[in-house]
Amino acid sequence: MTGSDFTVLPRHVAVIMDGNGRWAKQRGLSRSEGHIEGAKTFRRIGEYAGDLGIKHITFYAFSTENWARPQQEVAAIMHLFGDYLNEAYDRLEENRAKGIRLRFIGDRNGISKELCGLMDTLEGLTADMDKVNLNIAINYGGQQEITHAVQSIAADVKAGLLRPEDITKETIEARLYTGEQPPVDLMIRPSGEQRISNFLLWQSAYAEFWYSDVLWPDFTERHFDEALKAYEKRNRRFGGI
Ligand code: IPE
Ligand code: IPE
Ligand code: MG
């Protein structure tokens, strides 16, 4: 498909990349091998979304709750993330030619210095790109994100820079990791789970949800098309009639 095959494209798509572990288990493989396959799917779908003309896409790679997993699995995920960052750096010119702006959303505390350095570098080197905003949520939690925003607002109030009565929805939005990016229009979750798992809680206030039983490593461009086709047919009312 191409972007023109759709009458309306979501401005911002969020993807919960779920089901790597079950995919691996079905094949008698280790969970880490599931994450390796999932990382390949992420590259494919990220590329495809950009080709279709999706302006903003956010992939959930690691949640603040995922630290509860065995240390070995966490290490494997961080290692794969590092591989991706190094590859993105090696392919910088290619990414820039496609107009891809990379952003990493989430709490940097807990992420190794080396990975943080690479994230900062990639964000800096793609900051002038504006065709595709590719956000990767790493050590991300929606509740934590809102908590940080509230702390920063409280600090400004305490310092006399802001009056409580001047706090608006926009004041809060501007302090979220997604800053000036549009709210989520379409939230995609494979793997059969129908929950939000602390992802983009504020930003998906009026998101359309699309679920599928397909496990993330098996997720293809056709599934993405299916989600976009379903989105096209949704009647978004935003509380109106
Ligand atoms: C998603 O796949 C990847 C991360 C959460 C990092 P899972 O690892 O959650 O796969 P399942 O849900 O156990 O199948
Ligand atoms: C959500 O998946 C987090 C990511 C995909 C990174 P989980 O597998 O962690 O979510 P739960 O535990 O099933 O809610
Ligand atoms: Mg899961």
Side-chain angles (χ1 to χ4, degrees), residues 47-64:
E47 187 128 331
Y48 184 59
D51 292 345
L52 288 180
I54 305 286
K55 294 273 301 172
H56 303 264
I57 185 155
T58 306
F59 288 94
Y60 206 2
F62 191 86
S63 75
T64 44

Side-chain angles (χ1 to χ4, degrees), residues 18-19 22 31 69 189 191 193:
D18 197 17
R22 279 162 285 172
R31 292 183 59 86
R69 296 185 177 207
R189 183 162 195 165
S191 94
E193 311 298 352

Side-chain angles (χ1 to χ4, degrees), residues 2 9 13 19 26 34 52 121 123 146 178 190 201 212 222 224:
T2 66
L9 277 178
V13 177
Q26 281 177 357
L52 288 180
T121 303
E123 284 186 338
I146 295 167
T178 42
L201 297 180
S212 165
R222 300 293 77 81
F224 198 74

Side-chain angles (χ1 to χ4, degrees), residues 1-13 48-56 182-183 185-186 224-225 227-229 231-233 236:
M1 295 255 195
T2 66
S4 53
D5 290 319
F6 301 95
T7 52
V8 57
L9 277 178
R11 278 174 308 165
H12 189 167
V13 177
Y48 184 59
D51 292 345
L52 288 180
I54 305 286
K55 294 273 301 172
H56 303 264
D185 289 320
L186 173 64
F224 198 74
D225 290 341
L228 292 179
K229 281 287 167 198
Y231 174 80
E232 233 178 19
K233 296 195 191 84
R236 304 185 79 194

Side-chain angles (χ1 to χ4, degrees), residues 116-191:
C116 288
L118 270 166
M119 289 193 271
D120 289 341
T121 303
L122 286 165
E123 284 186 338
L125 292 172
T126 61
D128 55 336
M129 298 287 103
D130 64 357
K131 206 159 160 265
V132 183
N133 285 280
L134 175 58
N135 308 308
I136 299 173
I138 186 101
N139 196 19
Y140 174 87
Q143 292 176 332
Q144 289 79 351
E145 178 182 40
I146 295 167
T147 306
H148 284 141
V150 170
Q151 283 173 346
S152 122
I153 290 169
D156 278 2
V157 169
K158 191 177 174 199
L161 299 168
L162 190 63
R163 295 183 307 170
E165 57 272 32
D166 292 335
I167 298 170
T168 62
K169 183 173 159 280
E170 288 71 30
T171 317
I172 297 171
E173 263 161 16
R175 290 166 204 244
L176 300 178
Y177 297 123
T178 42
E180 77 298 348
Q181 297 191 62
V184 174
D185 289 320
L186 173 64
M187 170 79 73
I188 294 177
R189 183 162 195 165
S191 94

